[in-house]
Amino acid sequence: MNLSFFDQFSSPSLLGIPLILISMLFPALLLPSPGNRWVTNRLSTLQLWFINLITKQLMMPLHKKGHKWALILTSLMVFLLLINLLGLLPYTFTPTTQLSMNLALAFPLWLATLLTGLRNQPSASLGHLLPEGTPTPLIPALIMIETTSLLIRPLALGVRLTANLTAGHLLIQLISTATMALFSTMPAVSLLALLVLLLLTILEVAVAMIQAYVFVLLLSLYLQENI
């Protein structure tokens, strides 16, 4: 029984070929394709309004120099948002429950922000490792602590996204299994569990949206430190 709960997190395959790439590229089909007209339909208008809203929220705390990252950060936000929400549908696979994928997204972008800071303002970037006014005996320890906290940022980004989505999927499966098992013996308890399942599903929709936003927002804050 315990193994079946975690089967939903294993990468699907067909004839030995992993299908995770298809599940990652499928959300792109939901995006509007460019056309000759300014406004095509209400759905495209709503999607463009939502993308503009995301871009404004992400670029607001950034310096003007960081606005060149708007396309990367907005695309990542929409990509994570669609994958997280589509993963809540029945009989689907959520690629963002894989720690390897989240680290593959977090590490290169974090490294790009770090290298941007080292190239543009090396003194200020290295100055973050040692706060001003630090007593001399504490300098080696603080440098080690700040360096560790800096290097652990991409790991924290990937683990946070993976842990939140994995925990939500497990809770949904556990409560749905209990609802079906108790339906024949204790219908009242089963209906109560069904109500909890509906509320948890609404919560997971919110968590899927918030985690995508937090992932990209933290990357934008790391970028702000280095520009």
Side-chain angles (χ1 to χ4, degrees), residues 165-205:
L165 295 180
T166 302
H169 283 62
L170 281 176
L171 280 175
I172 288 178
Q173 185 168 3
L174 284 170
I175 296 179
S176 60
T177 303
T179 302
M180 296 300 297
L182 296 174
F183 184 75
S184 58
T185 56
M186 292 182 285
V189 179
S190 178
L191 291 177
L192 181 61
L194 179 61
L195 178 61
V196 174
L197 179 61
L198 293 177
L199 296 177
L200 181 62
T201 303
I202 297 174
L203 177 63
E204 280 306 306
V205 171

Short mmCIF file of all heavy atoms in Angstrom, two decimals, residues 165-205:
data_model
loop_
_atom_site.label_atom_id
_atom_site.label_comp_id
_atom_site.label_asym_id
_atom_site.label_seq_id
_atom_site.Cartn_x
_atom_site.Cartn_y
_atom_site.Cartn_z
N LEU A 165 4.59 20.35 -3.20
CA LEU A 165 3.71 19.66 -4.15
C LEU A 165 3.57 18.18 -3.81
O LEU A 165 2.48 17.62 -3.93
CB LEU A 165 4.26 19.84 -5.56
CG LEU A 165 4.27 21.27 -6.09
CD1 LEU A 165 4.84 21.32 -7.50
CD2 LEU A 165 2.87 21.86 -6.08
N THR A 166 4.66 17.55 -3.38
CA THR A 166 4.60 16.13 -3.03
C THR A 166 3.69 15.90 -1.82
O THR A 166 2.88 14.97 -1.82
CB THR A 166 6.01 15.59 -2.73
OG1 THR A 166 6.84 15.79 -3.88
CG2 THR A 166 5.97 14.11 -2.41
N ALA A 167 3.82 16.75 -0.81
CA ALA A 167 2.97 16.60 0.38
C ALA A 167 1.50 16.78 0.03
O ALA A 167 0.63 16.03 0.52
CB ALA A 167 3.40 17.62 1.44
N GLY A 168 1.19 17.74 -0.82
CA GLY A 168 -0.21 17.95 -1.21
C GLY A 168 -0.77 16.78 -1.98
O GLY A 168 -1.92 16.35 -1.74
N HIS A 169 -0.01 16.24 -2.92
CA HIS A 169 -0.49 15.09 -3.69
C HIS A 169 -0.69 13.87 -2.80
O HIS A 169 -1.66 13.11 -2.97
CB HIS A 169 0.50 14.76 -4.81
CG HIS A 169 0.43 15.70 -5.97
ND1 HIS A 169 0.69 17.04 -5.85
CD2 HIS A 169 0.13 15.49 -7.28
CE1 HIS A 169 0.54 17.62 -7.04
NE2 HIS A 169 0.21 16.71 -7.92
N LEU A 170 0.20 13.67 -1.84
CA LEU A 170 0.05 12.53 -0.93
C LEU A 170 -1.19 12.68 -0.06
O LEU A 170 -1.92 11.71 0.16
CB LEU A 170 1.30 12.39 -0.06
CG LEU A 170 2.52 11.74 -0.71
CD1 LEU A 170 3.70 11.77 0.25
CD2 LEU A 170 2.21 10.31 -1.11
N LEU A 171 -1.44 13.88 0.45
CA LEU A 171 -2.62 14.10 1.28
C LEU A 171 -3.90 13.86 0.48
O LEU A 171 -4.85 13.25 0.98
CB LEU A 171 -2.60 15.51 1.84
CG LEU A 171 -1.71 15.76 3.06
CD1 LEU A 171 -1.70 17.23 3.43
CD2 LEU A 171 -2.18 14.92 4.24
N ILE A 172 -3.94 14.34 -0.76
CA ILE A 172 -5.12 14.13 -1.58
C ILE A 172 -5.36 12.64 -1.82
O ILE A 172 -6.49 12.15 -1.72
CB ILE A 172 -4.97 14.89 -2.92
CG1 ILE A 172 -5.11 16.39 -2.69
CG2 ILE A 172 -6.01 14.42 -3.93
CD1 ILE A 172 -4.93 17.22 -3.94
N GLN A 173 -4.29 11.90 -2.10
CA GLN A 173 -4.46 10.47 -2.35
C GLN A 173 -4.86 9.72 -1.09
O GLN A 173 -5.70 8.81 -1.14
CB GLN A 173 -3.18 9.87 -2.92
CG GLN A 173 -3.33 8.41 -3.32
CD GLN A 173 -2.17 7.90 -4.13
OE1 GLN A 173 -1.21 8.63 -4.36
NE2 GLN A 173 -2.25 6.66 -4.57
N LEU A 174 -4.28 10.08 0.05
CA LEU A 174 -4.63 9.41 1.31
C LEU A 174 -6.10 9.64 1.66
O LEU A 174 -6.82 8.69 2.01
CB LEU A 174 -3.73 9.92 2.43
CG LEU A 174 -2.30 9.38 2.46
CD1 LEU A 174 -1.47 10.15 3.48
CD2 LEU A 174 -2.28 7.90 2.78
N ILE A 175 -6.56 10.89 1.56
CA ILE A 175 -7.94 11.19 1.94
C ILE A 175 -8.92 10.60 0.93
O ILE A 175 -9.99 10.10 1.30
CB ILE A 175 -8.13 12.72 2.08
CG1 ILE A 175 -7.26 13.24 3.21
CG2 ILE A 175 -9.59 13.06 2.32
CD1 ILE A 175 -7.35 14.74 3.42
N SER A 176 -8.58 10.62 -0.36
CA SER A 176 -9.47 10.01 -1.35
C SER A 176 -9.55 8.50 -1.17
O SER A 176 -10.63 7.90 -1.32
CB SER A 176 -8.98 10.34 -2.76
OG SER A 176 -7.67 9.84 -2.96
N THR A 177 -8.44 7.86 -0.80
CA THR A 177 -8.47 6.42 -0.53
C THR A 177 -9.33 6.11 0.69
O THR A 177 -10.12 5.16 0.69
CB THR A 177 -7.04 5.90 -0.30
OG1 THR A 177 -6.23 6.20 -1.44
CG2 THR A 177 -7.04 4.40 -0.06
N ALA A 178 -9.21 6.94 1.74
CA ALA A 178 -10.04 6.74 2.93
C ALA A 178 -11.51 6.97 2.62
O ALA A 178 -12.39 6.26 3.14
CB ALA A 178 -9.58 7.69 4.03
N THR A 179 -11.82 7.93 1.76
CA THR A 179 -13.21 8.21 1.39
C THR A 179 -13.85 7.00 0.70
O THR A 179 -14.98 6.61 1.02
CB THR A 179 -13.28 9.43 0.47
OG1 THR A 179 -12.69 10.55 1.14
CG2 THR A 179 -14.71 9.76 0.11
N MET A 180 -13.13 6.40 -0.23
CA MET A 180 -13.66 5.24 -0.93
C MET A 180 -13.75 4.01 -0.02
O MET A 180 -14.69 3.22 -0.12
CB MET A 180 -12.77 4.93 -2.14
CG MET A 180 -12.77 6.02 -3.19
SD MET A 180 -14.41 6.33 -3.88
CE MET A 180 -14.76 4.74 -4.64
N ALA A 181 -12.78 3.86 0.89
CA ALA A 181 -12.78 2.68 1.76
C ALA A 181 -13.90 2.74 2.80
O ALA A 181 -14.45 1.70 3.19
CB ALA A 181 -11.42 2.55 2.44
N LEU A 182 -14.24 3.94 3.25
CA LEU A 182 -15.25 4.08 4.30
C LEU A 182 -16.66 4.25 3.76
O LEU A 182 -17.61 4.30 4.55
CB LEU A 182 -14.91 5.29 5.18
CG LEU A 182 -13.61 5.21 5.99
CD1 LEU A 182 -13.33 6.53 6.69
CD2 LEU A 182 -13.67 4.07 7.00
N PHE A 183 -16.82 4.35 2.45
CA PHE A 183 -18.14 4.64 1.89
C PHE A 183 -19.15 3.52 2.17
O PHE A 183 -20.32 3.79 2.45
CB PHE A 183 -18.03 4.87 0.39
CG PHE A 183 -19.32 5.26 -0.25
CD1 PHE A 183 -19.83 6.54 -0.09
CD2 PHE A 183 -20.06 4.35 -1.01
CE1 PHE A 183 -21.03 6.91 -0.68
CE2 PHE A 183 -21.26 4.71 -1.59
CZ PHE A 183 -21.75 5.99 -1.43
N SER A 184 -18.71 2.28 2.13
CA SER A 184 -19.64 1.15 2.33
C SER A 184 -19.93 0.88 3.79
O SER A 184 -21.02 0.42 4.14
CB SER A 184 -19.07 -0.11 1.68
OG SER A 184 -17.80 -0.41 2.22
N THR A 185 -18.99 1.17 4.68
CA THR A 185 -19.17 0.86 6.10
C THR A 185 -19.67 2.06 6.90
O THR A 185 -20.57 1.92 7.73
CB THR A 185 -17.85 0.35 6.69
OG1 THR A 185 -16.82 1.33 6.46
CG2 THR A 185 -17.43 -0.96 6.03
N MET A 186 -19.08 3.22 6.69
CA MET A 186 -19.46 4.42 7.44
C MET A 186 -19.71 5.57 6.47
O MET A 186 -18.81 6.37 6.19
CB MET A 186 -18.36 4.79 8.44
CG MET A 186 -18.22 3.79 9.58
SD MET A 186 -16.96 4.26 10.78
CE MET A 186 -15.48 3.88 9.85
N PRO A 187 -20.91 5.65 5.91
CA PRO A 187 -21.19 6.69 4.90
C PRO A 187 -21.04 8.11 5.44
O PRO A 187 -20.59 9.00 4.71
CB PRO A 187 -22.64 6.41 4.48
CG PRO A 187 -22.89 4.98 4.88
CD PRO A 187 -22.06 4.75 6.09
N ALA A 188 -21.42 8.33 6.71
CA ALA A 188 -21.33 9.68 7.26
C ALA A 188 -19.87 10.14 7.34
O ALA A 188 -19.53 11.27 6.97
CB ALA A 188 -21.97 9.72 8.65
N VAL A 189 -19.01 9.25 7.81
CA VAL A 189 -17.59 9.59 7.89
C VAL A 189 -17.01 9.77 6.49
O VAL A 189 -16.16 10.63 6.25
CB VAL A 189 -16.83 8.50 8.67
CG1 VAL A 189 -15.33 8.83 8.73
CG2 VAL A 189 -17.38 8.35 10.07
N SER A 190 -17.50 8.98 5.54
CA SER A 190 -17.02 9.09 4.17
C SER A 190 -17.41 10.43 3.56
O SER A 190 -16.60 11.06 2.86
CB SER A 190 -17.59 7.95 3.33
OG SER A 190 -17.19 8.05 1.99
N LEU A 191 -18.62 10.90 3.85
CA LEU A 191 -19.04 12.22 3.34
C LEU A 191 -18.22 13.34 3.97
O LEU A 191 -17.88 14.33 3.31
CB LEU A 191 -20.53 12.43 3.60
CG LEU A 191 -21.49 11.54 2.78
CD1 LEU A 191 -22.92 11.80 3.21
CD2 LEU A 191 -21.31 11.82 1.29
N LEU A 192 -17.91 13.17 5.26
CA LEU A 192 -17.06 14.16 5.92
C LEU A 192 -15.66 14.18 5.30
O LEU A 192 -15.09 15.26 5.08
CB LEU A 192 -16.98 13.85 7.42
CG LEU A 192 -16.13 14.82 8.27
CD1 LEU A 192 -16.72 16.22 8.19
CD2 LEU A 192 -16.06 14.34 9.72
N ALA A 193 -15.14 12.99 5.02
CA ALA A 193 -13.83 12.93 4.37
C ALA A 193 -13.88 13.53 2.96
O ALA A 193 -12.91 14.15 2.51
CB ALA A 193 -13.35 11.48 4.31
N LEU A 194 -15.02 13.34 2.28
CA LEU A 194 -15.17 13.94 0.95
C LEU A 194 -15.16 15.46 1.02
O LEU A 194 -14.57 16.14 0.17
CB LEU A 194 -16.47 13.44 0.31
CG LEU A 194 -16.79 14.00 -1.08
CD1 LEU A 194 -15.71 13.61 -2.08
CD2 LEU A 194 -18.16 13.49 -1.55
N LEU A 195 -15.81 16.02 2.05
CA LEU A 195 -15.80 17.47 2.24
C LEU A 195 -14.37 17.97 2.49
O LEU A 195 -13.95 18.99 1.93
CB LEU A 195 -16.72 17.85 3.39
CG LEU A 195 -16.78 19.34 3.75
CD1 LEU A 195 -17.29 20.15 2.57
CD2 LEU A 195 -17.66 19.55 4.99
N VAL A 196 -13.66 17.23 3.34
CA VAL A 196 -12.25 17.60 3.60
C VAL A 196 -11.43 17.51 2.32
O VAL A 196 -10.56 18.35 2.06
CB VAL A 196 -11.67 16.69 4.70
CG1 VAL A 196 -10.17 16.96 4.88
CG2 VAL A 196 -12.39 16.90 6.02
N LEU A 197 -11.74 16.51 1.49
CA LEU A 197 -11.01 16.35 0.23
C LEU A 197 -11.26 17.53 -0.71
O LEU A 197 -10.33 18.02 -1.37
CB LEU A 197 -11.43 15.03 -0.44
CG LEU A 197 -10.78 14.71 -1.78
CD1 LEU A 197 -9.27 14.60 -1.64
CD2 LEU A 197 -11.37 13.43 -2.36
N LEU A 198 -12.50 18.01 -0.77
CA LEU A 198 -12.81 19.16 -1.62
C LEU A 198 -12.09 20.42 -1.14
O LEU A 198 -11.53 21.19 -1.94
CB LEU A 198 -14.32 19.38 -1.65
CG LEU A 198 -15.15 18.30 -2.35
CD1 LEU A 198 -16.64 18.62 -2.22
CD2 LEU A 198 -14.77 18.17 -3.81
N LEU A 199 -12.09 20.62 0.18
CA LEU A 199 -11.38 21.78 0.72
C LEU A 199 -9.88 21.67 0.49
O LEU A 199 -9.22 22.67 0.17
CB LEU A 199 -11.68 21.90 2.22
CG LEU A 199 -13.15 22.19 2.60
CD1 LEU A 199 -13.32 22.21 4.11
CD2 LEU A 199 -13.60 23.51 2.00
N LEU A 200 -9.35 20.45 0.64
CA LEU A 200 -7.92 20.26 0.41
C LEU A 200 -7.55 20.48 -1.05
O LEU A 200 -6.48 21.01 -1.36
CB LEU A 200 -7.51 18.84 0.85
CG LEU A 200 -6.04 18.48 0.71
CD1 LEU A 200 -5.17 19.40 1.56
CD2 LEU A 200 -5.79 17.03 1.09
N THR A 201 -8.44 20.10 -1.96
CA THR A 201 -8.18 20.32 -3.38
C THR A 201 -8.12 21.81 -3.71
O THR A 201 -7.24 22.27 -4.46
CB THR A 201 -9.28 19.65 -4.23
OG1 THR A 201 -9.32 18.25 -3.92
CG2 THR A 201 -8.98 19.82 -5.70
N ILE A 202 -9.03 22.59 -3.12
CA ILE A 202 -8.99 24.04 -3.30
C ILE A 202 -7.69 24.62 -2.74
O ILE A 202 -7.05 25.48 -3.35
CB ILE A 202 -10.22 24.69 -2.63
CG1 ILE A 202 -11.51 24.20 -3.30
CG2 ILE A 202 -10.13 26.21 -2.69
CD1 ILE A 202 -12.77 24.69 -2.62
N LEU A 203 -7.29 24.09 -1.57
CA LEU A 203 -6.04 24.54 -0.97
C LEU A 203 -4.85 24.20 -1.85
O LEU A 203 -3.91 25.01 -2.00
CB LEU A 203 -5.87 23.91 0.42
CG LEU A 203 -4.56 24.22 1.16
CD1 LEU A 203 -4.46 25.72 1.44
CD2 LEU A 203 -4.48 23.42 2.45
N GLU A 204 -4.87 23.03 -2.47
CA GLU A 204 -3.75 22.61 -3.32
C GLU A 204 -3.67 23.45 -4.59
O GLU A 204 -2.58 23.68 -5.11
CB GLU A 204 -3.89 21.12 -3.67
CG GLU A 204 -3.43 20.20 -2.57
CD GLU A 204 -2.02 20.51 -2.11
OE1 GLU A 204 -1.12 20.56 -2.97
OE2 GLU A 204 -1.82 20.73 -0.92
N VAL A 205 -4.81 23.90 -5.10
CA VAL A 205 -4.79 24.81 -6.24
C VAL A 205 -4.07 26.10 -5.85
O VAL A 205 -3.24 26.64 -6.60
CB VAL A 205 -6.22 25.09 -6.74
CG1 VAL A 205 -6.21 26.19 -7.78
CG2 VAL A 205 -6.83 23.83 -7.33
#
